[in-house]
Amino acid sequence: MKNFTSFADAGDYKALLAKALEIKANPYGYQQIGKNKTVGLIFFNPSLRTRLSSLKAAYNLGAQAWVLNAGADSWTLETADGAVMNGGTQEHIKDAIAVMSEYCDVLGVRTFPTLKDKAEDYGEVLFNKIVRYATVPVISLESATLHPLQSFADLITVAETKQKERVKVVLTWAPHVRALPQCVPNSFADWFSEVDWVDFVITHPEGYELDPKFTKGARIEYDQRKAFEGADYIYAKNWSSYRDYGQILSTDPAWMVSEAHMALTDNGKFMHCLPVRRNVVVTDAVLDSPNSLIVREAGNRTFSMQTVLHELLK
Amino acid sequence: MKNFTSFADAGDYKALLAKALEIKANPYGYQQIGKNKTVGLIFFNPSLRTRLSSLKAAYNLGAQAWVLNAGADSWTLETADGAVMNGGTQEHIKDAIAVMSEYCDVLGVRTFPTLKDKAEDYGEVLFNKIVRYATVPVISLESATLHPLQSFADLITVAETKQKERVKVVLTWAPHVRALPQCVPNSFADWFSEVDWVDFVITHPEGYELDPKFTKGARIEYDQRKAFEGADYIYAKNWSSYRDYGQILSTDPAWMVSEAHMALTDNGKFMHCLPVRRNVVVTDAVLDSPNSLIVREAGNRTFSMQTVLHELLK
Amino acid sequence: MKNFTSFADAGDYKALLAKALEIKANPYGYQQIGKNKTVGLIFFNPSLRTRLSSLKAAYNLGAQAWVLNAGADSWTLETADGAVMNGGTQEHIKDAIAVMSEYCDVLGVRTFPTLKDKAEDYGEVLFNKIVRYATVPVISLESATLHPLQSFADLITVAETKQKERVKVVLTWAPHVRALPQCVPNSFADWFSEVDWVDFVITHPEGYELDPKFTKGARIEYDQRKAFEGADYIYAKNWSSYRDYGQILSTDPAWMVSEAHMALTDNGKFMHCLPVRRNVVVTDAVLDSPNSLIVREAGNRTFSMQTVLHELLK
């Protein structure tokens, strides 16, 4: 593994998953890997799970870590190549990333989409620059289009809780009050469409189709109720439209996941990456039910990160 | 010890005090306790002493630590149960706390009072929710009504400096320009009213009576000069009124602790939890005198925290 | 070494440089020095290199570290002696620094000049107070007039890349859109005017003369082209006027370092402390050329800090 930015970087996902389960069973057993290593974490926007799980993962591995809130803690960054920097930006990302690489052995970076410029976002222009300028391995802590550490944690969660050989996993769109990125659903599709023991279904209102390069021909079912039938896992998430880029096309409360929805499943487990707006995306009753895996998923963020750090630092 | 939120949680305070003095004498002697442990620290408002002493305490114990500035670093939290989260809040505290518990072995949390809603503050509504949702032990880094780590550090300070078997300790109100919480005086009374080698006196203008559940029948003396007579320790602090909740009833500069006040004591030591507004609460001359214990108190914050971490992690 | 605030504190600079090169060659070889030690870092303004290189230096040395963003993370500090603190400030720097000293074994502090009050800035009023109130050794992470860790890193960089016994090093002023401190050029002159294998030249437009106490009689050449002739190292930096204190006297783009300028040198290396405004201070072509040392300089910030920590903690 050279960098970790998508499912493709995971290489043999079965081997990586096995390693994650091994690390989770023995979290402090690999500290020779992290000894004298420093993990750098750069955030261009707020974070709770990613920030804290990455720190915990580094510590479990015997490594040190630092966090930089780009902007608040440091300088305003220029991202345009060739810019004459006589305006508000104080440092070019080229220099900032090269320099930060000097202070760590692996660099985790969170960027975010504009949700306005589809070409820029789906070209991963900013993230790819960071990968290019870095002189150490880069881990995506979420980019404009993907969130692979989340999807890997989700895979760990499903793998360790499933009761059957094959399971039906449903990614469902759910309503929200703000226009959100497509990173989590893109990434979930990028991973789960590849898992050979998963029957993967995506359900959403028309107009919410994700980029086919991530859904890879997965079954799309516009009837949410039909999609839920017999499901073992319901993965809820809002996203804004990819087609009408960044737009909110529906706020239909019928798509909010409720106990009535869950009753259609085969005693299905409920998943969400968090943060979640309660009683907008999903009801309290579902979130607080014994079938809710939301806290376990969040806990597995430590182990997806720790496994990736292990691979990049070993 | 299950959590540490008040004097009652301390259990046998004499044993805890003895442990603190032992740890202070040998601060790096307990690192097996902290090995592979992570201390999480969440601040809902600014902090200097608590933040840094908690980090130092964790490091002394061989543990790692992370700090989260709620709001600035992460998402805006919802605290109302059952809320339909279609407004400004992005994550429910129930989920945030459960998730943060996944990334640490003990959770320190600082909240603050509204100073407007007495029932909410004195019910410790927010803090109690945090304790309820946490799945690891919780340490109060100051709540709406108490600041037990401060009081424990104050107890260490008095214990290690006292020259007599029994000492007279006076908690005195002092003026200030802003309405401040009652946490520190409440907590000081909660602890010092219980110490069997302390004669505890509280002095303040009328209307500044603290909640009797914390003063526990301690002697209240409205004449500040009389209270100071023969005192071994003067503990100064401003607070807003508990009776006329959150109000400033007096700014009388005669209550500012000066050398003339200290002259009434039995060569008394001066204490304050800091931050202190110089020449408003107490004069420079008193703060900078050899009898001032303010820096020592702050230093002992490391050892009160380290002792509590030791108890919760052992 | 008692504190590290200027070239004078370095003592025998040749021995310190030799130690730095030894530490760089074996960065994890001195962890007994840092064991159970905590490095405190206080920033009164933003930082990237200093913050991260200081953390890396502490970690390399086996020490722990904490960072405090003064203001954002803690309280508003009062700096005036004898102030009646009934206004906006919440804690006196005297108390804050004494207290922070309790939570670390060495304290790194970054302050900044007003660029308005020359006497206050060049008297290092704030920084000197911090040194006075601290009870642990203090490291300047940049003060109102100097940035010694940067200059020490620059010295390491020149020492490890020079191809000749003696080298010509040119500090050149360059244009900028904002009024900047004189810290970096002052400090560079403070160090490089003393190195016995360096021919040191300073070039800038008239009116940009630095304080003679730092330039120590170094050759000043107002003709930039002439200064560059035969140079082995070009160190570019903008600064505002010391004479017309804090003013911008020139924005002449002819002073921007370009390939044409570098062609005058003896295959000279280009240096800048960063952050740099590209195509304002220096062109992309120079910054991105093989002769650019900017990333190496930044990397050496770890080793200048680590060496200073080693000296202060040993």
PDB file of all heavy atoms in Angstrom, chain B residues 5-9 145-148 151 171 183-195 200 202 210-211 213-216 218:
ATOM      1  N   THR B   5     -16.972  13.291  40.175  1.00  0.00           N
ATOM      2  CA  THR B   5     -17.755  14.493  39.882  1.00  0.00           C
ATOM      3  C   THR B   5     -18.006  15.362  41.108  1.00  0.00           C
ATOM      4  O   THR B   5     -18.527  16.455  40.979  1.00  0.00           O
ATOM      5  CB  THR B   5     -19.134  14.093  39.304  1.00  0.00           C
ATOM      6  OG1 THR B   5     -19.887  13.430  40.337  1.00  0.00           O
ATOM      7  CG2 THR B   5     -18.982  13.160  38.109  1.00  0.00           C
ATOM      8  N   SER B   6     -17.638  14.857  42.309  1.00  0.00           N
ATOM      9  CA  SER B   6     -17.919  15.600  43.547  1.00  0.00           C
ATOM     10  C   SER B   6     -17.149  14.962  44.693  1.00  0.00           C
ATOM     11  O   SER B   6     -16.548  13.897  44.526  1.00  0.00           O
ATOM     12  CB  SER B   6     -19.416  15.535  43.864  1.00  0.00           C
ATOM     13  OG  SER B   6     -19.737  14.202  44.234  1.00  0.00           O
ATOM     14  N   PHE B   7     -17.204  15.594  45.860  1.00  0.00           N
ATOM     15  CA  PHE B   7     -16.553  15.043  47.049  1.00  0.00           C
ATOM     16  C   PHE B   7     -17.031  13.623  47.333  1.00  0.00           C
ATOM     17  O   PHE B   7     -16.235  12.750  47.706  1.00  0.00           O
ATOM     18  CB  PHE B   7     -16.829  15.945  48.262  1.00  0.00           C
ATOM     19  CG  PHE B   7     -16.231  15.420  49.537  1.00  0.00           C
ATOM     20  CD1 PHE B   7     -14.873  15.613  49.802  1.00  0.00           C
ATOM     21  CD2 PHE B   7     -17.005  14.727  50.462  1.00  0.00           C
ATOM     22  CE1 PHE B   7     -14.307  15.122  50.982  1.00  0.00           C
ATOM     23  CE2 PHE B   7     -16.438  14.242  51.633  1.00  0.00           C
ATOM     24  CZ  PHE B   7     -15.088  14.442  51.888  1.00  0.00           C
ATOM     25  N   ALA B   8     -18.322  13.387  47.152  1.00  0.00           N
ATOM     26  CA  ALA B   8     -18.873  12.058  47.464  1.00  0.00           C
ATOM     27  C   ALA B   8     -18.170  10.966  46.656  1.00  0.00           C
ATOM     28  O   ALA B   8     -17.917   9.873  47.159  1.00  0.00           O
ATOM     29  CB  ALA B   8     -20.382  12.035  47.198  1.00  0.00           C
ATOM     30  N   ASP B   9     -17.826  11.276  45.403  1.00  0.00           N
ATOM     31  CA  ASP B   9     -17.146  10.278  44.562  1.00  0.00           C
ATOM     32  C   ASP B   9     -15.743   9.941  45.053  1.00  0.00           C
ATOM     33  O   ASP B   9     -15.164   8.930  44.672  1.00  0.00           O
ATOM     34  CB  ASP B   9     -17.030  10.783  43.111  1.00  0.00           C
ATOM     35  CG  ASP B   9     -18.358  10.772  42.387  1.00  0.00           C
ATOM     36  OD1 ASP B   9     -19.238   9.987  42.777  1.00  0.00           O
ATOM     37  OD2 ASP B   9     -18.508  11.550  41.423  1.00  0.00           O
ATOM     38  N   THR B 145     -22.024  23.251  38.557  1.00  0.00           N
ATOM     39  CA  THR B 145     -22.061  23.626  39.973  1.00  0.00           C
ATOM     40  C   THR B 145     -20.816  23.248  40.778  1.00  0.00           C
ATOM     41  O   THR B 145     -20.677  23.705  41.916  1.00  0.00           O
ATOM     42  CB  THR B 145     -23.272  22.975  40.693  1.00  0.00           C
ATOM     43  OG1 THR B 145     -23.083  21.557  40.718  1.00  0.00           O
ATOM     44  CG2 THR B 145     -24.579  23.309  39.992  1.00  0.00           C
ATOM     45  N   LEU B 146     -19.929  22.426  40.220  1.00  0.00           N
ATOM     46  CA  LEU B 146     -18.783  21.948  41.017  1.00  0.00           C
ATOM     47  C   LEU B 146     -17.488  21.922  40.206  1.00  0.00           C
ATOM     48  O   LEU B 146     -17.516  21.859  38.970  1.00  0.00           O
ATOM     49  CB  LEU B 146     -19.066  20.537  41.551  1.00  0.00           C
ATOM     50  CG  LEU B 146     -20.135  20.434  42.648  1.00  0.00           C
ATOM     51  CD1 LEU B 146     -20.447  18.974  42.934  1.00  0.00           C
ATOM     52  CD2 LEU B 146     -19.701  21.148  43.936  1.00  0.00           C
ATOM     53  N   HIS B 147     -16.381  21.909  40.918  1.00  0.00           N
ATOM     54  CA  HIS B 147     -15.062  21.818  40.284  1.00  0.00           C
ATOM     55  C   HIS B 147     -14.175  20.966  41.215  1.00  0.00           C
ATOM     56  O   HIS B 147     -13.249  21.461  41.843  1.00  0.00           O
ATOM     57  CB  HIS B 147     -14.490  23.219  40.095  1.00  0.00           C
ATOM     58  CG  HIS B 147     -13.338  23.286  39.148  1.00  0.00           C
ATOM     59  ND1 HIS B 147     -12.695  22.176  38.651  1.00  0.00           N
ATOM     60  CD2 HIS B 147     -12.690  24.348  38.594  1.00  0.00           C
ATOM     61  CE1 HIS B 147     -11.724  22.549  37.840  1.00  0.00           C
ATOM     62  NE2 HIS B 147     -11.693  23.852  37.782  1.00  0.00           N
ATOM     63  N   PRO B 148     -14.468  19.669  41.293  1.00  0.00           N
ATOM     64  CA  PRO B 148     -13.836  18.844  42.322  1.00  0.00           C
ATOM     65  C   PRO B 148     -12.321  18.668  42.166  1.00  0.00           C
ATOM     66  O   PRO B 148     -11.620  18.509  43.176  1.00  0.00           O
ATOM     67  CB  PRO B 148     -14.569  17.492  42.202  1.00  0.00           C
ATOM     68  CG  PRO B 148     -15.164  17.487  40.832  1.00  0.00           C
ATOM     69  CD  PRO B 148     -15.480  18.915  40.515  1.00  0.00           C
ATOM     70  N   SER B 151     -10.816  21.538  43.983  1.00  0.00           N
ATOM     71  CA  SER B 151     -10.911  21.433  45.443  1.00  0.00           C
ATOM     72  C   SER B 151      -9.963  20.376  45.987  1.00  0.00           C
ATOM     73  O   SER B 151      -9.368  20.540  47.058  1.00  0.00           O
ATOM     74  CB  SER B 151     -12.349  21.091  45.853  1.00  0.00           C
ATOM     75  OG  SER B 151     -13.234  22.035  45.295  1.00  0.00           O
ATOM     76  N   LEU B 171     -13.106  30.715  53.384  1.00  0.00           N
ATOM     77  CA  LEU B 171     -13.502  30.986  51.995  1.00  0.00           C
ATOM     78  C   LEU B 171     -14.147  32.364  51.976  1.00  0.00           C
ATOM     79  O   LEU B 171     -15.171  32.577  52.614  1.00  0.00           O
ATOM     80  CB  LEU B 171     -14.499  29.920  51.532  1.00  0.00           C
ATOM     81  CG  LEU B 171     -15.253  30.191  50.223  1.00  0.00           C
ATOM     82  CD1 LEU B 171     -14.310  30.252  49.028  1.00  0.00           C
ATOM     83  CD2 LEU B 171     -16.331  29.113  49.994  1.00  0.00           C
ATOM     84  N   CYS B 183     -19.245  27.371  40.967  1.00  0.00           N
ATOM     85  CA  CYS B 183     -18.608  26.036  40.997  1.00  0.00           C
ATOM     86  C   CYS B 183     -17.476  25.930  42.007  1.00  0.00           C
ATOM     87  O   CYS B 183     -17.426  24.982  42.798  1.00  0.00           O
ATOM     88  CB  CYS B 183     -18.033  25.685  39.630  1.00  0.00           C
ATOM     89  SG  CYS B 183     -19.174  25.926  38.279  1.00  0.00           S
ATOM     90  N   VAL B 184     -16.537  26.862  41.940  1.00  0.00           N
ATOM     91  CA  VAL B 184     -15.358  26.740  42.796  1.00  0.00           C
ATOM     92  C   VAL B 184     -15.718  26.881  44.272  1.00  0.00           C
ATOM     93  O   VAL B 184     -15.330  26.031  45.078  1.00  0.00           O
ATOM     94  CB  VAL B 184     -14.250  27.716  42.351  1.00  0.00           C
ATOM     95  CG1 VAL B 184     -13.128  27.771  43.378  1.00  0.00           C
ATOM     96  CG2 VAL B 184     -13.691  27.302  40.985  1.00  0.00           C
ATOM     97  N   PRO B 185     -16.471  27.911  44.678  1.00  0.00           N
ATOM     98  CA  PRO B 185     -16.837  27.978  46.105  1.00  0.00           C
ATOM     99  C   PRO B 185     -17.747  26.824  46.541  1.00  0.00           C
ATOM    100  O   PRO B 185     -17.570  26.277  47.639  1.00  0.00           O
ATOM    101  CB  PRO B 185     -17.542  29.339  46.242  1.00  0.00           C
ATOM    102  CG  PRO B 185     -17.908  29.752  44.862  1.00  0.00           C
ATOM    103  CD  PRO B 185     -16.860  29.136  43.962  1.00  0.00           C
ATOM    104  N   ASN B 186     -18.693  26.423  45.703  1.00  0.00           N
ATOM    105  CA  ASN B 186     -19.523  25.258  46.048  1.00  0.00           C
ATOM    106  C   ASN B 186     -18.636  24.049  46.341  1.00  0.00           C
ATOM    107  O   ASN B 186     -18.816  23.349  47.345  1.00  0.00           O
ATOM    108  CB  ASN B 186     -20.419  24.859  44.861  1.00  0.00           C
ATOM    109  CG  ASN B 186     -21.674  25.709  44.748  1.00  0.00           C
ATOM    110  OD1 ASN B 186     -22.046  26.417  45.674  1.00  0.00           O
ATOM    111  ND2 ASN B 186     -22.313  25.657  43.583  1.00  0.00           N
ATOM    112  N   SER B 187     -17.716  23.824  45.441  1.00  0.00           N
ATOM    113  CA  SER B 187     -16.888  22.629  45.528  1.00  0.00           C
ATOM    114  C   SER B 187     -15.936  22.730  46.716  1.00  0.00           C
ATOM    115  O   SER B 187     -15.729  21.747  47.440  1.00  0.00           O
ATOM    116  CB  SER B 187     -16.120  22.494  44.213  1.00  0.00           C
ATOM    117  OG  SER B 187     -15.535  21.233  44.101  1.00  0.00           O
ATOM    118  N   PHE B 188     -15.387  23.918  46.920  1.00  0.00           N
ATOM    119  CA  PHE B 188     -14.482  24.117  48.059  1.00  0.00           C
ATOM    120  C   PHE B 188     -15.223  23.789  49.360  1.00  0.00           C
ATOM    121  O   PHE B 188     -14.699  23.096  50.242  1.00  0.00           O
ATOM    122  CB  PHE B 188     -13.959  25.552  48.060  1.00  0.00           C
ATOM    123  CG  PHE B 188     -12.802  25.780  48.985  1.00  0.00           C
ATOM    124  CD1 PHE B 188     -11.504  25.433  48.614  1.00  0.00           C
ATOM    125  CD2 PHE B 188     -12.994  26.350  50.242  1.00  0.00           C
ATOM    126  CE1 PHE B 188     -10.419  25.643  49.471  1.00  0.00           C
ATOM    127  CE2 PHE B 188     -11.922  26.566  51.110  1.00  0.00           C
ATOM    128  CZ  PHE B 188     -10.627  26.209  50.719  1.00  0.00           C
ATOM    129  N   ALA B 189     -16.459  24.280  49.442  1.00  0.00           N
ATOM    130  CA  ALA B 189     -17.263  23.998  50.645  1.00  0.00           C
ATOM    131  C   ALA B 189     -17.597  22.507  50.723  1.00  0.00           C
ATOM    132  O   ALA B 189     -17.536  21.896  51.805  1.00  0.00           O
ATOM    133  CB  ALA B 189     -18.549  24.831  50.622  1.00  0.00           C
ATOM    134  N   ASP B 190     -17.922  21.907  49.607  1.00  0.00           N
ATOM    135  CA  ASP B 190     -18.262  20.476  49.542  1.00  0.00           C
ATOM    136  C   ASP B 190     -17.127  19.634  50.128  1.00  0.00           C
ATOM    137  O   ASP B 190     -17.372  18.639  50.815  1.00  0.00           O
ATOM    138  CB  ASP B 190     -18.498  20.118  48.067  1.00  0.00           C
ATOM    139  CG  ASP B 190     -19.076  18.725  47.838  1.00  0.00           C
ATOM    140  OD1 ASP B 190     -19.860  18.265  48.678  1.00  0.00           O
ATOM    141  OD2 ASP B 190     -18.751  18.115  46.794  1.00  0.00           O
ATOM    142  N   TRP B 191     -15.900  20.049  49.889  1.00  0.00           N
ATOM    143  CA  TRP B 191     -14.728  19.308  50.372  1.00  0.00           C
ATOM    144  C   TRP B 191     -14.316  19.742  51.771  1.00  0.00           C
ATOM    145  O   TRP B 191     -14.158  18.918  52.669  1.00  0.00           O
ATOM    146  CB  TRP B 191     -13.534  19.496  49.411  1.00  0.00           C
ATOM    147  CG  TRP B 191     -13.676  18.704  48.153  1.00  0.00           C
ATOM    148  CD1 TRP B 191     -14.606  18.885  47.142  1.00  0.00           C
ATOM    149  CD2 TRP B 191     -12.897  17.561  47.755  1.00  0.00           C
ATOM    150  NE1 TRP B 191     -14.438  17.941  46.158  1.00  0.00           N
ATOM    151  CE2 TRP B 191     -13.393  17.122  46.500  1.00  0.00           C
ATOM    152  CE3 TRP B 191     -11.824  16.877  48.326  1.00  0.00           C
ATOM    153  CZ2 TRP B 191     -12.859  16.028  45.822  1.00  0.00           C
ATOM    154  CZ3 TRP B 191     -11.281  15.787  47.643  1.00  0.00           C
ATOM    155  CH2 TRP B 191     -11.805  15.365  46.409  1.00  0.00           C
ATOM    156  N   PHE B 192     -14.108  21.046  51.947  1.00  0.00           N
ATOM    157  CA  PHE B 192     -13.481  21.499  53.198  1.00  0.00           C
ATOM    158  C   PHE B 192     -14.404  21.411  54.396  1.00  0.00           C
ATOM    159  O   PHE B 192     -13.933  21.347  55.533  1.00  0.00           O
ATOM    160  CB  PHE B 192     -12.870  22.895  53.020  1.00  0.00           C
ATOM    161  CG  PHE B 192     -11.514  22.827  52.365  1.00  0.00           C
ATOM    162  CD1 PHE B 192     -11.392  22.623  50.994  1.00  0.00           C
ATOM    163  CD2 PHE B 192     -10.347  22.903  53.123  1.00  0.00           C
ATOM    164  CE1 PHE B 192     -10.138  22.520  50.386  1.00  0.00           C
ATOM    165  CE2 PHE B 192      -9.086  22.804  52.525  1.00  0.00           C
ATOM    166  CZ  PHE B 192      -8.988  22.610  51.151  1.00  0.00           C
ATOM    167  N   SER B 193     -15.705  21.406  54.159  1.00  0.00           N
ATOM    168  CA  SER B 193     -16.622  21.233  55.289  1.00  0.00           C
ATOM    169  C   SER B 193     -16.525  19.807  55.849  1.00  0.00           C
ATOM    170  O   SER B 193     -17.016  19.532  56.936  1.00  0.00           O
ATOM    171  CB  SER B 193     -18.060  21.539  54.856  1.00  0.00           C
ATOM    172  OG  SER B 193     -18.483  20.607  53.888  1.00  0.00           O
ATOM    173  N   GLU B 194     -15.894  18.924  55.115  1.00  0.00           N
ATOM    174  CA  GLU B 194     -15.802  17.518  55.532  1.00  0.00           C
ATOM    175  C   GLU B 194     -14.455  17.156  56.178  1.00  0.00           C
ATOM    176  O   GLU B 194     -14.332  16.080  56.758  1.00  0.00           O
ATOM    177  CB  GLU B 194     -15.989  16.603  54.312  1.00  0.00           C
ATOM    178  CG  GLU B 194     -17.290  16.809  53.562  1.00  0.00           C
ATOM    179  CD  GLU B 194     -18.417  15.900  54.064  1.00  0.00           C
ATOM    180  OE1 GLU B 194     -18.208  15.190  55.070  1.00  0.00           O
ATOM    181  OE2 GLU B 194     -19.475  15.901  53.424  1.00  0.00           O
ATOM    182  N   VAL B 195     -13.481  18.020  56.024  1.00  0.00           N
ATOM    183  CA  VAL B 195     -12.138  17.655  56.489  1.00  0.00           C
ATOM    184  C   VAL B 195     -12.057  17.828  57.999  1.00  0.00           C
ATOM    185  O   VAL B 195     -12.310  18.924  58.514  1.00  0.00           O
ATOM    186  CB  VAL B 195     -11.071  18.522  55.771  1.00  0.00           C
ATOM    187  CG1 VAL B 195      -9.670  18.175  56.267  1.00  0.00           C
ATOM    188  CG2 VAL B 195     -11.180  18.335  54.263  1.00  0.00           C
ATOM    189  N   PHE B 200     -13.744  25.424  59.263  1.00  0.00           N
ATOM    190  CA  PHE B 200     -14.104  26.033  57.986  1.00  0.00           C
ATOM    191  C   PHE B 200     -15.105  27.164  58.179  1.00  0.00           C
ATOM    192  O   PHE B 200     -16.148  26.976  58.816  1.00  0.00           O
ATOM    193  CB  PHE B 200     -14.680  24.952  57.065  1.00  0.00           C
ATOM    194  CG  PHE B 200     -15.024  25.436  55.696  1.00  0.00           C
ATOM    195  CD1 PHE B 200     -14.121  26.170  54.936  1.00  0.00           C
ATOM    196  CD2 PHE B 200     -16.276  25.161  55.145  1.00  0.00           C
ATOM    197  CE1 PHE B 200     -14.443  26.610  53.657  1.00  0.00           C
ATOM    198  CE2 PHE B 200     -16.605  25.597  53.875  1.00  0.00           C
ATOM    199  CZ  PHE B 200     -15.693  26.323  53.134  1.00  0.00           C
ATOM    200  N   ILE B 202     -17.070  30.493  56.047  1.00  0.00           N
ATOM    201  CA  ILE B 202     -17.360  31.158  54.771  1.00  0.00           C
ATOM    202  C   ILE B 202     -17.775  32.586  55.073  1.00  0.00           C
ATOM    203  O   ILE B 202     -18.577  32.821  55.980  1.00  0.00           O
ATOM    204  CB  ILE B 202     -18.513  30.448  54.020  1.00  0.00           C
ATOM    205  CG1 ILE B 202     -18.216  28.947  53.881  1.00  0.00           C
ATOM    206  CG2 ILE B 202     -18.747  31.081  52.654  1.00  0.00           C
ATOM    207  CD1 ILE B 202     -19.390  28.138  53.297  1.00  0.00           C
ATOM    208  N   LEU B 210     -24.354  30.380  49.528  1.00  0.00           N
ATOM    209  CA  LEU B 210     -24.240  29.265  48.583  1.00  0.00           C
ATOM    210  C   LEU B 210     -25.325  28.242  48.876  1.00  0.00           C
ATOM    211  O   LEU B 210     -25.967  28.272  49.933  1.00  0.00           O
ATOM    212  CB  LEU B 210     -22.851  28.619  48.710  1.00  0.00           C
ATOM    213  CG  LEU B 210     -21.680  29.518  48.316  1.00  0.00           C
ATOM    214  CD1 LEU B 210     -20.354  28.926  48.806  1.00  0.00           C
ATOM    215  CD2 LEU B 210     -21.627  29.726  46.799  1.00  0.00           C
ATOM    216  N   ASP B 211     -25.515  27.307  47.965  1.00  0.00           N
ATOM    217  CA  ASP B 211     -26.494  26.240  48.136  1.00  0.00           C
ATOM    218  C   ASP B 211     -26.133  25.426  49.386  1.00  0.00           C
ATOM    219  O   ASP B 211     -25.025  24.894  49.493  1.00  0.00           O
ATOM    220  CB  ASP B 211     -26.453  25.345  46.894  1.00  0.00           C
ATOM    221  CG  ASP B 211     -27.514  24.253  46.900  1.00  0.00           C
ATOM    222  OD1 ASP B 211     -28.096  23.987  47.971  1.00  0.00           O
ATOM    223  OD2 ASP B 211     -27.731  23.664  45.836  1.00  0.00           O
ATOM    224  N   LYS B 213     -26.705  22.578  50.239  1.00  0.00           N
ATOM    225  CA  LYS B 213     -26.308  21.174  50.050  1.00  0.00           C
ATOM    226  C   LYS B 213     -24.801  21.047  49.904  1.00  0.00           C
ATOM    227  O   LYS B 213     -24.252  19.961  50.115  1.00  0.00           O
ATOM    228  CB  LYS B 213     -27.055  20.527  48.876  1.00  0.00           C
ATOM    229  CG  LYS B 213     -26.472  20.752  47.512  1.00  0.00           C
ATOM    230  CD  LYS B 213     -27.248  19.937  46.460  1.00  0.00           C
ATOM    231  CE  LYS B 213     -26.910  20.474  45.074  1.00  0.00           C
ATOM    232  NZ  LYS B 213     -27.854  20.089  44.047  1.00  0.00           N
ATOM    233  N   PHE B 214     -24.133  22.157  49.595  1.00  0.00           N
ATOM    234  CA  PHE B 214     -22.672  22.117  49.515  1.00  0.00           C
ATOM    235  C   PHE B 214     -22.006  22.684  50.775  1.00  0.00           C
ATOM    236  O   PHE B 214     -20.936  22.228  51.173  1.00  0.00           O
ATOM    237  CB  PHE B 214     -22.175  22.877  48.282  1.00  0.00           C
ATOM    238  CG  PHE B 214     -22.679  22.299  46.992  1.00  0.00           C
ATOM    239  CD1 PHE B 214     -23.408  23.072  46.091  1.00  0.00           C
ATOM    240  CD2 PHE B 214     -22.433  20.970  46.681  1.00  0.00           C
ATOM    241  CE1 PHE B 214     -23.884  22.527  44.905  1.00  0.00           C
ATOM    242  CE2 PHE B 214     -22.904  20.410  45.492  1.00  0.00           C
ATOM    243  CZ  PHE B 214     -23.643  21.205  44.600  1.00  0.00           C
ATOM    244  N   THR B 215     -22.646  23.676  51.397  1.00  0.00           N
ATOM    245  CA  THR B 215     -22.029  24.266  52.595  1.00  0.00           C
ATOM    246  C   THR B 215     -22.243  23.375  53.819  1.00  0.00           C
ATOM    247  O   THR B 215     -21.466  23.430  54.775  1.00  0.00           O
ATOM    248  CB  THR B 215     -22.573  25.683  52.848  1.00  0.00           C
ATOM    249  OG1 THR B 215     -24.004  25.627  52.929  1.00  0.00           O
ATOM    250  CG2 THR B 215     -22.171  26.623  51.714  1.00  0.00           C
ATOM    251  N   LYS B 216     -23.274  22.552  53.809  1.00  0.00           N
ATOM    252  CA  LYS B 216     -23.475  21.523  54.830  1.00  0.00           C
ATOM    253  C   LYS B 216     -23.364  22.063  56.254  1.00  0.00           C
ATOM    254  O   LYS B 216     -22.649  21.489  57.087  1.00  0.00           O
ATOM    255  CB  LYS B 216     -22.441  20.395  54.644  1.00  0.00           C
ATOM    256  CG  LYS B 216     -22.402  19.771  53.251  1.00  0.00           C
ATOM    257  CD  LYS B 216     -21.239  18.788  53.101  1.00  0.00           C
ATOM    258  CE  LYS B 216     -21.006  18.379  51.664  1.00  0.00           C
ATOM    259  NZ  LYS B 216     -19.806  17.566  51.467  1.00  0.00           N
ATOM    260  N   ALA B 218     -21.786  24.721  57.325  1.00  0.00           N
ATOM    261  CA  ALA B 218     -20.549  25.438  57.657  1.00  0.00           C
ATOM    262  C   ALA B 218     -20.887  26.807  58.247  1.00  0.00           C
ATOM    263  O   ALA B 218     -21.915  27.404  57.926  1.00  0.00           O
ATOM    264  CB  ALA B 218     -19.690  25.612  56.412  1.00  0.00           C
TER     265      ALA B 218
END
